[in-house]
Amino acid sequence: MPARRDYLQVRNYGRKALARGLVIQATSRDSETWRFGLTASKKIGNAVCRNRARRRLRALVRQHLAPMARPGVDYVLIARHDTVTCDWQDLVTGMTKAIR
């Protein structure tokens, strides 16, 4: 999702779920494909920490969100302060519970 308006639509009209290491927001739209977006603000830390958090979230999307993603849904994953440091399995478990 490259456009800011898509992120704002998910934030304003979507559902939100908190998990360890991330926040997931999702909203449906008229399409047959699903999309995702990532956000890591400066609250996370310096550029190195933000990039590491985004890499971990991308890997999480590829390995675990893609098989269970619903068509026509936009997902936004927001990094939290412990995204970089928490255990990988905790991220996977948290995301799976939040999606359900």
Side-chain angles (χ1 to χ4, degrees), residues 4-40:
R4 185 179 193 301
R5 64 181 159 81
D6 295 332
Y7 285 92
L8 293 177
Q9 183 176 3
V10 173
R11 185 188 73 190
N12 293 333
Y13 301 109
R15 297 184 64 180
K16 178 169 124 177
L18 300 173
R20 170 119 197 244
L22 69 140
V23 177
I24 298 176
Q25 297 174 335
T27 188
S28 59
R29 63 186 176 91
D30 295 331
S31 177
E32 297 167 0
T33 61
W34 64 277
R35 300 187 301 178
F36 77 95
L38 305 173
T39 302

Side-chain angles (χ1 to χ4, degrees), residues 48-76:
V48 174
C49 292
R50 292 193 307 270
N51 288 334
R52 185 171 293 144
R54 282 193 290 266
R55 281 195 304 269
R56 291 189 89 187
L57 291 179
R58 269 190 222 104
L60 192 65
V61 167
R62 274 194 307 269
Q63 295 175 10
H64 299 284
L65 179 62
M68 69 170 83
R70 295 181 185 158
V73 176
D74 286 345
Y75 298 97
V76 175

